Amino acid sequence: MNVLLVPAHPGFPGQIPQSRKTVVLCVCDNQFGFKKGHGCNHAIFTARNIIERLINDGSTINLCTLDVSKAFDKVNHSALFTKLMKRQIPLALLHVLENWLNNSWTCVKWYSVYSRFIKIKCGVRQGSVLSPSLFAVYLDDIISLLPFSQRHCIILYADDILIISPSVNELQNTHNTHNRFTAGLEYVRVHPGQQVPER
């Protein structure tokens, strides 16, 4: 997904020079969620092509599905800001996002009684148009950590991850990379019966 930051031009209200439009958020081709013109069918088609190619090459097929539990609620703000800075997001937009995420509060309503307000220290807001893009950026680095030869064998659809491998050993290595990526975030749950324990 690409998001365009369109700064206002002080001398020409309503007219924005093309040169000042800057792409600030984009994710890898392996992510099929949160993208206009892409969907579940595209992810399934890609997975099927990978599997058929491996079978035609005489390989076995090894799969691991990972589910990011409560994905939007567990985004670490500091880690997200670091990832955005590495992408050279304009400082003004970074300040807006920082202010937006760091000044979030919530409370619980029970009948007509409200709890005290609680500061939200992690996560991106549910229902926000920008939150899916921020989450996709947050998860996107997992692809770049893999060896180039393995990058085409991992498919992301929103917060679901499918790893396809021709060998158990390569599957294990990819899973270990995923574990290192999410270490300390404590938000990954692997579906029962499909877990590959780290060795």
Side-chain angles (χ1 to χ4, degrees):
M1 169 178 276
N2 293 333
V3 177
L4 294 178
L5 174 66
V6 184
H9 194 274
F12 304 91
Q15 297 181 12
I16 291 85
Q18 188 69 25
S19 62
R20 301 209 43 200
K21 295 182 179 180
T22 308
V23 178
V24 296
L25 300 176
C26 60
V27 294
C28 67
D29 293 337
N30 302 56
Q31 173 63 269
F32 291 89
F34 315 128
K35 284 184 175 177
K36 185 177 181 179
H38 289 75
C40 190
N41 289 342
H42 296 90
I44 292 170
F45 177 77
T46 302
R48 183 172 178 173
N49 282 346
I50 293 170
I51 291 169
E52 287 178 352
R53 182 174 49 79
L54 291 174
I55 289 173
N56 291 337
D57 290 343
S59 299
T60 59
I61 307 300
N62 302 275
L63 302 174
C64 179
T65 58
L66 306 174
D67 178 43
V68 182
S69 177
K70 297 183 179 178
F72 279 41
D73 297 334
K74 298 290 183 74
V75 171
N76 181 304
H77 291 168
S78 296
L80 175 61
F81 298 146
T82 300
K83 292 173 188 293
L84 291 171
M85 285 187 285
K86 286 180 180 177
R87 291 166 175 257
Q88 299 181 341
I89 187 172
L91 194 57
L93 181 56
L94 182 65
H95 286 321
V96 169
L97 293 173
E98 187 178 9
N99 186 58
W100 178 54
L101 293 173
N102 287 340
N103 291 301
S104 296
W105 297 78
T106 189
C107 70
V108 178
K109 180 183 178 185
W110 187 65
Y111 291 100
S112 60
V113 179
Y114 291 86
S115 72
R116 64 180 178 85
F117 278 87
I118 304 163
K119 185 173 178 61
I120 299 173
K121 297 181 179 179
C122 61
V124 290
R125 294 183 182 180
Q126 297 281 350
S128 165
V129 175
L130 194 54
S131 292
S133 299
L134 293 175
F135 178 75
V137 166
Y138 187 67
L139 201 60
D140 197 52
D141 287 350
I142 190 171
I143 301 295
S144 62
L145 294 175
L146 295 171
F148 188 78
S149 61
Q150 296 175 20
R151 292 182 187 180
H152 67 283
C153 291
I154 184 167
I155 296 172
L156 296 93
Y157 188 81
D159 59 348
D160 295 314
I161 301 169
L162 174 65
I163 302 171
I164 307 170
S165 176
S167 72
V168 174
N169 196 31
E170 188 175 300
L171 182 68
Q172 181 69 59
N173 291 336
T174 305
H175 185 267
N176 292 349
T177 299
H178 179 271
N179 281 346
R180 285 191 297 274
F181 175 75
T182 57
L185 299 179
E186 299 179 356
Y187 71 178
V188 172
R189 181 182 75 249
V190 180
H191 291 295
Q194 297 173 320
Q195 186 168 6
V196 182
E198 185 161 353
R199 296 182 226 174

